[in-house]
Amino acid sequence: MPYWRLSLYNLSYFAFLGIFAPYFSLYLAALGWTAGAIAAAMALMQAMRVLAPPLWSLPLERGVGHVALLRRAAMMALAAGGVFLVASEPRWVLPAVAVIGFCWSGALPVFEALTFAHLREEAHRYARIRLWGSIGFIVAVLGLGHWLERDGVETLPVWLAAALAGGVLMAFALPEPTPTRVLVRTLPPWRAVLARREVTAFLLASFAMSAAHGPLYVFYSMHLDRLGYDKEAIGALWALGVASEIVLFWALPGVLRRFTVRTLLFVAYGAAVVRFLAIGWGGAWPVVVVLAQLLHAATFGVFHGANVHLLRQWFPGPLLARGQALYGSLSFGAGGMLGAMMSGWSWSALGPEWTYTLGSAFALSGMGFVAIALRQGASVDDEVVK
């Protein structure tokens, strides 16, 4: 099992996110873009998370290899990233963001399906591979925060292009998994899985959680910047959240053995309610912001880890790529897009405090869907067997 090659691809993949998510909105603001235009650019990235995963999963079902798809996605994203080096007008930047978002979002479910194909009976090692993505994010966000504070945010396009080039190199280092025989006739059709009430409720809960994170991914850096935090501090706060995520991913196998998935998801959604209220209303106090960032271990780490566990059960074997695509598209994609668009409106109309309060409200609604998806006393494993 190529542990290090899978881990290094994860590192390079999320290093790009560590450059884009915290600093791209600041870069656009420095170019003079309005809050609405910035939100539109970030929402466009999320919109591609709706379209890309299902479209990229189709070639897999027709026999195209995982690695071949990842290489195509990496090269297309690098070509689009070159636009940032020569143009800054919305008419050029927005299409480039769309292409990068299409490739970047589509690659993740393909890569995770590739990872589980290599892991086979060692699926518990997934979290240890995924944590290298978090390490890549931290290295990128901390290193770049220092650089941008010194030389200005205008240098961001160079770093984005460098991260995308690293993704191409890592994609070409990945091996295809050894084919295995699968008894496809024993698997239910994916539409039948999707039609189950608990699966639908699970996807709606994930949609709500992703919408709740919209203000964080679009305006968190701008919010802290307006409150007087410098770029190094902003980068350190982003890194702190992801560092807490790394600790969680390392401990995740034991956590999943000790607690039920239902309990873990209630903790994740409850933490999101508290976290976004704290950021919105207590952002001026560093101790509040630090504690809120530590909750990222729950609002993303616990949330995503528990969700992957459920997806592997509800979409077994060859269905997993389709399940990952649906999960990414309907939750992170559609939910993230709604959250980004909502925050773009509310930021100007209501202000930062109420923007993050709306995020908390989305997380609270997600808890209701979790209650439907994972009923008290019901066993997820028993339902899968049925």
Side-chain angles (χ1 to χ4, degrees):
M1 195 273 290
Y3 173 83
W4 283 110
R5 281 179 282 179
L6 294 170
S7 298
L8 290 174
Y9 178 88
N10 242 329
L11 186 148
S12 68
Y13 182 93
F14 285 96
F16 167 79
L17 183 61
I19 297 171
F20 186 90
Y23 301 119
F24 195 65
S25 60
L26 293 177
Y27 169 69
L28 297 181
L31 293 178
W33 287 36
T34 65
I38 294 170
M42 303 304 278
L44 187 59
M45 192 77 170
Q46 298 298 333
M48 292 301 105
R49 299 180 81 170
V50 179
L51 298 174
L55 293 177
W56 282 95
S57 70
L58 289 176
L60 285 179
E61 298 173 7
R62 296 172 182 171
V64 178
H66 299 77
V67 173
L69 283 177
L70 292 174
R71 290 171 180 173
R72 293 175 198 175
M75 290 187 291
M76 290 170 60
L78 177 59
V83 172
F84 300 148
L85 298 172
V86 297
S88 59
E89 298 87 359
R91 60 175 176 161
W92 298 109
V93 171
L94 290 177
V97 169
V99 173
I100 292 172
F102 182 76
C103 297
W104 188 86
S105 302
L108 185 57
V110 174
F111 174 72
E112 295 202 323
L114 172 69
T115 299
F116 283 113
H118 279 295
L119 288 173
R120 297 183 185 176
E121 292 81 16
E122 298 181 280
H124 61 279
R125 298 181 67 184
Y126 164 79
R128 303 287 172 86
I129 292 173
R130 175 60 181 80
L131 70 82
W132 284 97
S134 303
I135 292 172
F137 185 99
I138 286 179
V139 170
V141 76
L142 284 179
L144 199 58
H146 174 75
W147 182 278
L148 296 180
E149 187 66 30
R150 187 186 71 180
D151 290 351
V153 74
E154 295 80 8
T155 61
L156 186 69
V158 175
W159 294 101
L160 288 171
L164 293 171
V168 172
L169 293 176
M170 291 300 102
F172 275 88
L174 290 172
E176 284 284 1
T178 304
T180 57
R181 296 184 63 184
V182 178
L183 298 177
V184 179
R185 56 185 172 84
T186 64
L187 300 176
W190 69 267
R191 290 182 180 86
V193 177
L194 187 61
R196 292 166 56 181
R197 185 181 71 165
E198 62 270 23
V199 177
T200 301
F202 158 77
L203 291 172
L204 288 172
S206 300
F207 172 94
M209 184 65 123
S210 296
H213 281 73
L216 180 77
Y217 293 133
V218 176
F219 288 119
Y220 184 65
S221 295
M222 290 178 61
H223 181 48
L224 296 179
D225 185 62
R226 291 184 179 187
L227 291 173
Y229 295 82
D230 61 31
K231 291 179 179 61
E232 286 187 90
I234 293 170
L237 285 167
W238 278 95
L240 177 64
V242 180
S244 69
E245 170 190 312
I246 290 175
V247 174
L248 186 282
F249 278 133
W250 186 262
L252 188 60
V255 171
L256 285 170
R257 286 193 297 268
R258 186 172 181 180
F259 299 99
T260 66
V261 172
R262 186 178 191 272
T263 298
L264 291 175
L265 286 178
F266 271 119
V267 168
Y269 284 81
V273 173
V274 173
R275 182 187 185 191
F276 298 129
L277 286 174
I279 292 173
W281 298 94
W285 292 282
V287 65
V288 173
V289 177
V290 167
L291 292 174
Q293 282 302 88
L294 290 174
L295 288 177
H296 188 72
T299 67
F300 180 78
V302 172
F303 166 76
H304 184 62
N307 283 354
V308 168
H309 179 76
L310 290 175
L311 285 168
R312 288 188 58 248
Q313 295 185 56
W314 282 329
F315 295 89
L319 295 181
L320 183 58
R322 174 74 69 162
Q324 291 278 8
L326 289 169
Y327 168 58
S329 177
L330 299 177
S331 60
F332 289 114
M337 181 175 64
L338 176 64
M341 294 174 65
M342 174 209 72
S343 63
W345 166 79
S346 62
W347 189 265
S348 300
L350 304 175
E353 295 84 358
W354 287 105
T355 297
Y356 283 101
T357 301
L358 288 173
S360 290
F362 272 111
L364 187 62
S365 71
M367 293 182 73
F369 289 117
V370 169
I372 296 172
L374 304 174
R375 303 183 304 279
Q376 183 69 49
S379 168
V380 174
D381 291 318
D382 288 345
E383 290 178 356
V384 172
V385 171
K386 294 175 183 177

